[in-house]
Structure formats: C-alpha cells, structure tokens
Coordinates of all heavy atoms in Angstrom, one line a residue:
M19 N 118.8 99.1 103.5 CA 117.6 98.7 104.1 C 116.5 98.5 103.0 O 115.7 97.6 103.1 CB 117.2 99.8 105.1 CG 116.0 99.4 105.9 SD 116.3 98.0 106.9 CE 114.9 98.0 108.0
L20 N 116.5 99.5 102.1 CA 115.5 99.3 101.0 C 115.7 98.1 100.2 O 114.7 97.4 99.8 CB 115.5 100.6 100.1 CG 115.0 101.9 100.7 CD1 115.3 103.0 99.7 CD2 113.6 101.8 101.1
L21 N 116.9 97.7 99.9 CA 117.2 96.5 99.2 C 116.7 95.2 100.0 O 116.1 94.3 99.4 CB 118.7 96.4 98.9 CG 119.1 95.1 98.1 CD1 118.5 95.1 96.8 CD2 120.7 95.1 98.0
V22 N 117.0 95.2 101.3 CA 116.5 94.1 102.1 C 115.0 94.0 102.0 O 114.4 92.9 101.9 CB 117.0 94.3 103.6 CG1 116.3 93.3 104.5 CG2 118.5 94.2 103.6
L23 N 114.3 95.1 102.2 CA 112.8 95.1 102.1 C 112.3 94.6 100.7 O 111.4 93.9 100.6 CB 112.2 96.5 102.5 CG 112.4 96.9 103.9 CD1 111.9 98.3 104.1 CD2 111.6 95.9 104.8
A24 N 113.0 95.1 99.7 CA 112.6 94.7 98.3 C 112.8 93.2 98.1 O 112.0 92.5 97.5 CB 113.4 95.5 97.3
L25 N 113.9 92.7 98.7 CA 114.2 91.2 98.6 C 113.2 90.4 99.4 O 112.9 89.3 99.1 CB 115.6 90.9 99.0 CG 116.7 91.4 98.1 CD1 118.1 91.2 98.7 CD2 116.6 90.8 96.7
L26 N 112.7 91.0 100.4 CA 111.7 90.3 101.3 C 110.2 90.4 100.7 O 109.3 89.8 101.3 CB 111.7 90.8 102.7 CG 112.9 90.4 103.5 CD1 113.0 91.1 104.9 CD2 113.0 88.9 103.7
A27 N 110.0 91.2 99.7 CA 108.7 91.5 99.2 C 108.0 90.2 98.8 O 106.8 90.1 99.1 CB 108.8 92.4 97.9
P28 N 108.6 89.2 98.2 CA 107.8 87.9 97.9 C 107.4 87.3 99.2 O 106.3 86.7 99.2 CB 108.9 87.1 97.2 CG 109.8 88.0 96.6 CD 109.9 89.2 97.6
V29 N 108.1 87.4 100.3 CA 107.7 86.8 101.5 C 106.5 87.5 102.1 O 105.5 86.9 102.5 CB 108.9 86.8 102.6 CG1 108.4 86.3 103.9 CG2 110.0 86.0 102.1
F30 N 106.5 88.8 102.0 CA 105.3 89.6 102.4 C 104.1 89.3 101.6 O 103.0 89.2 102.1 CB 105.6 91.1 102.3 CG 106.7 91.6 103.3 CD1 107.6 92.5 102.8 CD2 106.8 91.1 104.6 CE1 108.6 93.0 103.7 CE2 107.8 91.6 105.4 CZ 108.7 92.5 105.0
G31 N 104.3 89.1 100.3 CA 103.2 88.8 99.4 C 102.6 87.4 99.7 O 101.4 87.2 99.8
W32 N 103.5 86.4 100.0 CA 103.0 85.1 100.4 C 102.3 85.2 101.7 O 101.2 84.6 101.8 CB 104.2 84.2 100.5 CG 103.9 82.8 101.1 CD1 103.3 81.8 100.4 CD2 104.0 82.4 102.4 NE1 103.1 80.7 101.3 CE2 103.5 81.1 102.5 CE3 104.4 83.1 103.6 CZ2 103.5 80.4 103.7 CZ3 104.4 82.4 104.8 CH2 103.9 81.1 104.9
A33 N 102.8 85.9 102.7 CA 102.2 86.0 104.0 C 100.8 86.7 103.9 O 99.9 86.2 104.6 CB 103.1 86.8 104.9
A34 N 100.7 87.7 103.0 CA 99.4 88.4 102.9 C 98.4 87.4 102.3 O 97.2 87.4 102.7 CB 99.6 89.5 101.9
G35 N 98.8 86.5 101.4 CA 97.9 85.5 100.9 C 97.5 84.5 101.9 O 96.3 84.0 101.9
Q36 N 98.4 84.1 102.8 CA 98.1 83.2 103.9 C 97.1 83.6 104.9 O 96.3 82.9 105.4 CB 99.4 82.7 104.6 CG 100.4 82.0 103.7 CD 99.8 80.8 103.1 OE1 99.3 79.9 103.8 NE2 99.8 80.7 101.8
V37 N 97.1 84.9 105.2 CA 96.2 85.5 106.2 C 94.9 86.1 105.5 O 94.0 86.6 106.2 CB 96.9 86.5 107.1 CG1 98.0 85.9 107.8 CG2 97.3 87.7 106.3
G38 N 94.8 86.1 104.2 CA 93.6 86.6 103.5 C 93.6 88.1 103.5 O 92.5 88.7 103.6
Y39 N 94.7 88.8 103.5 CA 94.8 90.2 103.5 C 94.1 90.8 102.3 O 94.3 90.3 101.2 CB 96.3 90.7 103.6 CG 96.4 92.2 103.5 CD1 96.2 93.0 104.5 CD2 96.8 92.8 102.2 CE1 96.3 94.4 104.4 CE2 96.9 94.2 102.1 CZ 96.7 94.9 103.2 OH 96.8 96.3 103.1
A40 N 93.4 91.9 102.5 CA 92.8 92.6 101.3 C 93.1 94.1 101.5 O 93.2 94.6 102.7 CB 91.3 92.4 101.3
E41 N 93.3 94.8 100.4 CA 93.6 96.2 100.5 C 92.5 97.0 101.2 O 91.3 96.8 100.9 CB 93.7 96.8 99.1 CG 95.0 96.3 98.4 CD 96.2 96.9 98.9 OE1 96.2 98.0 99.5 OE2 97.3 96.3 98.7
P42 N 92.8 97.9 102.2 CA 91.8 98.6 102.9 C 90.9 99.4 102.0 O 89.7 99.5 102.3 CB 92.6 99.6 103.8 CG 93.9 98.8 104.0 CD 94.2 98.1 102.7
L43 N 91.4 100.0 101.0 CA 90.5 100.8 100.1 C 89.5 99.9 99.4 O 88.4 100.3 99.1 CB 91.3 101.6 99.1 CG 92.0 102.9 99.6 CD1 92.8 103.5 98.5 CD2 90.9 103.8 100.2
E44 N 89.9 98.7 99.0 CA 89.0 97.7 98.4 C 87.9 97.3 99.4 O 86.8 97.2 99.0 CB 89.8 96.5 97.9 CG 90.7 96.8 96.7 CD 91.5 95.6 96.2 OE1 91.2 94.5 96.7 OE2 92.3 95.8 95.4
N45 N 88.3 97.1 100.6 CA 87.3 96.8 101.7 C 86.3 97.9 101.9 O 85.1 97.7 102.0 CB 88.0 96.5 103.0 CG 88.9 95.3 102.9 OD1 88.7 94.4 102.1 ND2 89.9 95.2 103.8
A46 N 86.8 99.1 101.9 CA 85.9 100.3 102.1 C 85.0 100.4 100.9 O 83.8 100.8 101.1 CB 86.8 101.6 102.3
A47 N 85.5 100.2 99.7 CA 84.7 100.3 98.5 C 83.5 99.2 98.5 O 82.4 99.5 98.2 CB 85.5 100.1 97.3
E48 N 83.8 98.0 99.0 CA 82.8 97.0 99.1 C 81.8 97.4 100.2 O 80.6 97.2 99.9 CB 83.5 95.7 99.4 CG 84.2 95.1 98.3 CD 84.9 93.7 98.6 OE1 84.4 93.1 99.5 OE2 85.8 93.4 97.9
V49 N 82.2 97.9 101.3 CA 81.3 98.2 102.4 C 80.4 99.3 102.0 O 79.2 99.3 102.3 CB 82.1 98.6 103.7 CG1 81.2 99.2 104.7 CG2 82.8 97.4 104.2
T50 N 80.9 100.3 101.3 CA 80.1 101.5 100.9 C 79.3 101.3 99.6 O 78.5 102.1 99.2 CB 80.9 102.7 100.7 OG1 81.9 102.5 99.7 CG2 81.6 103.1 102.0
G51 N 79.6 100.2 98.9 CA 78.9 99.9 97.6 C 79.5 100.6 96.4 O 79.0 100.5 95.3
A52 N 80.7 101.2 96.7 CA 81.3 101.9 95.6 C 81.9 101.0 94.5 O 82.1 101.3 93.4 CB 82.4 102.8 96.1
S53 N 82.3 99.8 95.0 CA 82.9 98.8 94.0 C 81.9 98.4 92.9 O 82.3 98.0 91.8 CB 83.4 97.6 94.8 OG 82.3 96.9 95.4
E54 N 80.6 98.5 93.2 CA 79.6 98.2 92.1 C 79.6 99.2 91.0 O 79.2 98.9 89.9 CB 78.2 98.2 92.8 CG 78.0 97.1 93.8 CD 76.8 97.3 94.6 OE1 75.9 98.1 94.2 OE2 76.6 96.6 95.6
H55 N 80.1 100.4 91.2 CA 80.1 101.5 90.2 C 81.5 101.7 89.7 O 81.7 102.7 88.9 CB 79.6 102.8 90.8 CG 78.2 102.6 91.4 ND1 77.1 102.4 90.6 CD2 77.8 102.5 92.7 CE1 76.0 102.3 91.4 NE2 76.4 102.3 92.7
A56 N 82.5 100.9 90.1 CA 83.9 101.1 89.7 C 84.1 100.7 88.3 O 83.5 99.8 87.8 CB 84.8 100.4 90.6
E57 N 85.0 101.4 87.6 CA 85.5 101.1 86.3 C 86.9 100.7 86.3 O 87.7 101.4 86.9 CB 85.2 102.2 85.3 CG 83.8 102.6 85.1 CD 83.6 103.7 84.1 OE1 84.5 103.9 83.3 OE2 82.6 104.4 84.3
A58 N 87.3 99.6 85.7 CA 88.7 99.2 85.7 C 89.5 100.1 84.9 O 89.2 100.6 83.8 CB 88.8 97.8 85.1
V59 N 90.7 100.4 85.4 CA 91.7 101.3 84.7 C 93.0 100.5 84.7 O 93.5 100.1 85.7 CB 91.9 102.6 85.5 CG1 92.9 103.5 84.8 CG2 90.6 103.4 85.6
D60 N 93.5 100.3 83.5 CA 94.8 99.5 83.4 C 96.0 100.4 83.3 O 96.8 100.3 82.3 CB 94.6 98.6 82.2 CG 93.6 97.5 82.5 OD1 93.4 97.1 83.6 OD2 92.9 97.1 81.5
L61 N 96.1 101.4 84.1 CA 97.3 102.3 84.1 C 98.4 102.0 85.1 O 99.4 102.6 85.1 CB 96.8 103.7 84.3 CG 95.8 104.3 83.3 CD1 95.3 105.7 83.7 CD2 96.4 104.3 81.9
A62 N 98.2 101.0 85.9 CA 99.2 100.7 86.9 C 100.4 100.1 86.3 O 100.3 99.2 85.5 CB 98.6 99.7 87.9
P63 N 101.6 100.6 86.7 CA 102.8 100.1 86.1 C 103.1 98.7 86.6 O 103.7 97.8 85.9 CB 103.9 101.0 86.6 CG 103.3 101.8 87.7 CD 101.8 101.8 87.5
F64 N 102.7 98.4 87.8 CA 102.9 97.0 88.4 C 101.5 96.6 89.0 O 101.4 96.6 90.2 CB 104.0 97.0 89.5 CG 105.3 97.6 89.0 CD1 105.8 98.8 89.7 CD2 106.0 97.1 88.0 CE1 106.9 99.4 89.2 CE2 107.1 97.7 87.6 CZ 107.6 98.8 88.2
P65 N 100.6 96.1 88.2 CA 99.3 95.8 88.7 C 99.4 94.6 89.7 O 100.1 93.6 89.4 CB 98.5 95.4 87.4 CG 99.5 95.1 86.4 CD 100.7 95.9 86.7
D66 N 98.7 94.7 90.8 CA 98.7 93.7 91.8 C 100.1 93.3 92.3 O 100.4 92.2 92.7 CB 98.0 92.4 91.3 CG 96.5 92.6 91.1 OD1 95.9 93.4 91.8 OD2 95.9 92.0 90.2
Y67 N 101.0 94.4 92.3 CA 102.3 94.2 92.8 C 103.1 93.1 92.1 O 103.9 92.5 92.7 CB 102.3 94.0 94.3 CG 101.5 95.0 95.1 CD1 100.3 94.8 95.6 CD2 102.0 96.3 95.2 CE1 99.5 95.7 96.2 CE2 101.3 97.3 95.9 CZ 100.1 97.0 96.4 OH 99.3 97.9 97.0
G68 N 102.9 93.0 90.8 CA 103.6 92.0 90.1 C 104.0 92.5 88.7 O 103.6 93.6 88.3
I69 N 104.6 91.6 87.9 CA 105.0 91.9 86.6 C 104.2 90.9 85.7 O 104.4 89.7 85.9 CB 106.5 91.8 86.3 CG1 107.3 92.7 87.2 CG2 106.9 92.0 84.9 CD1 107.2 94.1 87.0
P70 N 103.4 91.4 84.7 CA 102.7 90.5 83.9 C 103.7 89.5 83.2 O 104.7 90.0 82.6 CB 102.0 91.4 82.9 CG 101.9 92.7 83.6 CD 103.1 92.8 84.4
G71 N 103.4 88.3 83.2 CA 104.2 87.3 82.6 C 105.2 86.6 83.6 O 105.6 85.5 83.3
L72 N 105.4 87.2 84.7 CA 106.2 86.6 85.7 C 105.2 86.2 86.9 O 104.5 87.1 87.3 CB 107.3 87.6 86.3 CG 108.5 87.9 85.4 CD1 109.4 88.9 86.1 CD2 109.2 86.6 85.1
G73 N 105.3 85.0 87.3 CA 104.3 84.6 88.3 C 104.8 84.8 89.7 O 106.1 84.8 89.9
G74 N 103.9 84.9 90.6 CA 104.2 84.8 92.1 C 105.4 85.6 92.6 O 105.5 86.8 92.4
A75 N 106.3 84.9 93.2 CA 107.4 85.5 93.9 C 108.4 86.2 92.9 O 108.8 87.3 93.3 CB 108.2 84.4 94.6
A76 N 108.6 85.7 91.7 CA 109.5 86.4 90.8 C 108.9 87.7 90.4 O 109.6 88.7 90.3 CB 109.8 85.5 89.6
G77 N 107.6 87.8 90.1 CA 107.0 89.0 89.7 C 107.0 90.0 90.8 O 107.2 91.2 90.6
T78 N 106.8 89.6 92.0 CA 106.8 90.5 93.2 C 108.2 91.0 93.4 O 108.3 92.2 93.7 CB 106.2 89.7 94.4 OG1 104.9 89.2 94.2 CG2 106.2 90.6 95.6
L79 N 109.2 90.2 93.3 CA 110.5 90.6 93.5 C 111.0 91.6 92.5 O 111.5 92.7 92.9 CB 111.5 89.4 93.5 CG 113.0 89.7 93.6 CD1 113.2 90.3 95.0 CD2 113.8 88.5 93.5
V80 N 110.7 91.4 91.2 CA 111.1 92.3 90.2 C 110.3 93.6 90.3 O 110.9 94.7 90.2 CB 110.9 91.7 88.8 CG1 111.0 92.7 87.7 CG2 111.8 90.5 88.6
S81 N 109.0 93.5 90.7 CA 108.2 94.7 90.9 C 108.7 95.5 92.0 O 108.8 96.8 92.0 CB 106.8 94.3 91.2 OG 106.0 95.4 91.5
A82 N 109.1 94.9 93.1 CA 109.7 95.6 94.3 C 111.0 96.3 94.0 O 111.2 97.5 94.3 CB 109.9 94.6 95.4
I83 N 111.9 95.6 93.2 CA 113.1 96.2 92.9 C 113.0 97.4 91.9 O 113.5 98.5 92.1 CB 114.1 95.2 92.4 CG1 114.5 94.2 93.5 CG2 115.4 95.8 91.7 CD1 115.3 93.0 93.1
L84 N 112.1 97.2 90.9 CA 111.9 98.3 89.9 C 111.2 99.4 90.6 O 111.5 100.6 90.3 CB 111.1 97.7 88.8 CG 111.8 96.8 87.8 CD1 110.8 96.3 86.7 CD2 112.9 97.6 87.1
G85 N 110.2 99.2 91.4 CA 109.4 100.2 92.1 C 110.3 101.0 93.0 O 110.2 102.3 93.1
T86 N 111.2 100.4 93.7 CA 112.1 101.0 94.6 C 113.1 101.9 93.8 O 113.4 103.0 94.2 CB 112.9 100.0 95.5 OG1 112.0 99.3 96.3 CG2 113.9 100.7 96.4
G87 N 113.6 101.3 92.7 CA 114.5 102.1 91.9 C 113.9 103.3 91.3 O 114.5 104.4 91.3
V88 N 112.7 103.2 90.8 CA 112.0 104.3 90.2 C 111.7 105.4 91.2 O 111.9 106.6 91.0 CB 110.6 103.9 89.5 CG1 109.8 105.1 89.2 CG2 110.9 103.0 88.3
T89 N 111.3 105.0 92.4 CA 111.1 105.9 93.5 C 112.3 106.7 93.9 O 112.3 107.9 94.0 CB 110.5 105.2 94.7 OG1 109.3 104.6 94.4 CG2 110.2 106.2 95.9
L90 N 113.4 106.0 94.0 CA 114.7 106.6 94.3 C 115.2 107.6 93.2 O 115.7 108.7 93.5 CB 115.8 105.6 94.6 CG 115.7 104.8 95.9 CD1 116.7 103.7 96.0 CD2 115.8 105.7 97.1
L91 N 115.0 107.2 91.9 CA 115.3 108.1 90.8 C 114.5 109.4 90.8 O 115.0 110.5 90.6 CB 115.2 107.3 89.5 CG 116.3 106.3 89.2 CD1 115.9 105.6 87.9 CD2 117.6 107.0 89.0
V92 N 113.2 109.2 91.1 CA 112.3 110.4 91.1 C 112.7 111.3 92.3 O 112.8 112.5 92.1 CB 110.8 110.0 91.2 CG1 110.0 111.2 91.5 CG2 110.4 109.3 89.9
A93 N 113.0 110.7 93.4 CA 113.4 111.5 94.6 C 114.7 112.2 94.3 O 114.9 113.4 94.7 CB 113.5 110.6 95.8
T94 N 115.6 111.5 93.7 CA 116.9 112.1 93.4 C 116.8 113.3 92.4 O 117.4 114.4 92.6 CB 117.9 111.1 92.8 OG1 118.1 110.0 93.8 CG2 119.2 111.7 92.5
G95 N 115.9 113.1 91.4 CA 115.6 114.2 90.5 C 115.0 115.4 91.1 O 115.4 116.5 90.8
I96 N 114.1 115.2 92.0 CA 113.5 116.3 92.7 C 114.5 117.0 93.6 O 114.6 118.3 93.6 CB 112.3 115.8 93.6 CG1 111.2 115.3 92.7 CG2 111.8 116.9 94.6 CD1 110.0 114.6 93.5
V97 N 115.4 116.3 94.3 CA 116.4 116.9 95.1 C 117.3 117.8 94.2 O 117.7 118.9 94.6 CB 117.2 115.9 95.9 CG1 118.4 116.5 96.5 CG2 116.3 115.3 97.0
R98 N 117.7 117.2 93.1 CA 118.6 117.9 92.2 C 118.0 119.1 91.6 O 118.6 120.2 91.4 CB 119.2 117.0 91.1 CG 120.2 116.0 91.7 CD 120.9 115.2 90.6 NE 121.8 114.3 91.3 CZ 122.5 113.4 90.6 NH1 122.3 113.2 89.3 NH2 123.3 112.6 91.2
A99 N 116.7 119.0 91.3 CA 116.0 120.2 90.7 C 115.8 121.3 91.7 O 115.9 122.5 91.3 CB 114.6 119.7 90.2
L100 N 115.7 120.9 92.9 CA 115.6 122.0 94.0 C 116.9 122.7 94.2 O 117.0 123.8 94.5 CB 115.0 121.4 95.3 CG 113.6 120.9 95.2 CD1 113.2 120.3 96.6 CD2 112.6 122.1 94.9
G101 N 118.0 121.9 94.1 CA 119.3 122.4 94.2 C 119.6 123.0 95.5 O 118.9 122.9 96.5
T102 N 120.8 123.7 95.6 CA 121.2 124.4 96.8 C 121.7 125.7 96.4 O 122.1 126.0 95.3 CB 122.4 123.6 97.5 OG1 123.5 123.5 96.6 CG2 122.0 122.3 98.0
D103 N 121.6 126.7 97.4 CA 122.1 128.0 97.2 C 123.6 128.0 97.3 O 124.2 127.0 97.7 CB 121.5 129.0 98.2 CG 120.0 129.1 98.0 OD1 119.6 128.9 96.9 OD2 119.4 129.5 99.0
A104 N 124.3 129.1 96.9 CA 125.7 129.2 97.0 C 126.3 129.0 98.4 O 127.4 128.5 98.5 CB 126.1 130.6 96.5
D105 N 125.5 129.3 99.4 CA 126.0 129.1 100.8 C 125.7 127.7 101.3 O 126.0 127.4 102.5 CB 125.5 130.2 101.7 CG 124.0 130.1 101.9 OD1 123.3 129.3 101.2 OD2 123.4 130.9 102.7
G106 N 125.2 126.8 100.5 CA 124.9 125.4 100.8 C 123.6 125.2 101.5 O 123.3 124.1 101.8
T107 N 122.8 126.2 101.6 CA 121.4 126.0 102.1 C 120.4 125.7 101.0 O 120.7 126.0 99.8 CB 120.9 127.2 102.9 OG1 120.9 128.4 102.0 CG2 121.9 127.5 104.1
R108 N 119.3 125.2 101.3 CA 118.3 124.9 100.3 C 117.3 126.0 100.2 O 117.0 126.8 101.0 CB 117.6 123.6 100.6 CG 118.6 122.5 100.5 CD 117.8 121.2 100.4 NE 118.8 120.1 100.3 CZ 119.3 119.7 99.1 NH1 118.9 120.1 98.0 NH2 120.2 118.7 99.1

C-alpha cells in the first residue's frame, strides 16, 4: 500500500497545483502575520516535497520513495531497539 501511495505522489502533487492547495500552517502564518517574521531554514531533506535538480513529477516520485524508505527504516530500528522479552512480550 505504501508503494502504491508513493507511486501516486506525483499525481497528488499535480492535483494540489491544479486546485491551488496551500499548506495549512503557511495559511495560518499569513493570517496571523507570523510569516512576516519568519526566517528561512534550509534543513529540510526534501524541500517542497521534491529533490533539488529533479523537476516536477520525477522529484516528487523520488522524494516519496526515499521518504517512505527512511520512515520504514527508522520505525524498524525503533522496534528492534525496543526488542522483546524472553516470553515474547514487549
């Protein structure tokens, strides 16, 4: 299911552009005036849900696959770190 959603990410990105979708936090920042005091931070691994150098759908697709993979790896690491007791319980 995650792979299907990742493969559909470019379609979701295109559709968001067609309807003029904007991030809710960005909307709230504009309404409250907070965006006037914001400072840009370039720490995002996939800024604007894309990969720098790859345009449009290709960047969104690669970003979705990498983001899903990283999330699954982190979740697997957490599960393994928590481990199980000898009787199979957590």
Side-chain angles (χ1 to χ4, degrees):
M19 185 65 167
L20 291 175
L21 180 61
V22 170
L23 289 173
L25 292 174
L26 288 174
V29 175
F30 295 139
W32 172 82
Q36 296 300 306
V37 299
Y39 174 79
E41 291 288 335
L43 284 177
E44 290 177 8
N45 294 339
E48 288 180 21
V49 169
T50 61
S53 59
E54 297 170 11
H55 305 288
E57 294 182 26
V59 177
D60 294 326
L61 297 176
F64 307 119
D66 293 327
Y67 306 104
I69 302 292
L72 289 178
T78 302
L79 177 62
V80 172
S81 174
I83 291 171
L84 287 175
T86 301
V88 167
T89 302
L90 288 173
L91 285 173
V92 169
T94 301
I96 291 170
V97 168
R98 288 188 178 170
L100 294 175
T102 57
D103 292 338
D105 63 356
T107 61
R108 295 201 180 265

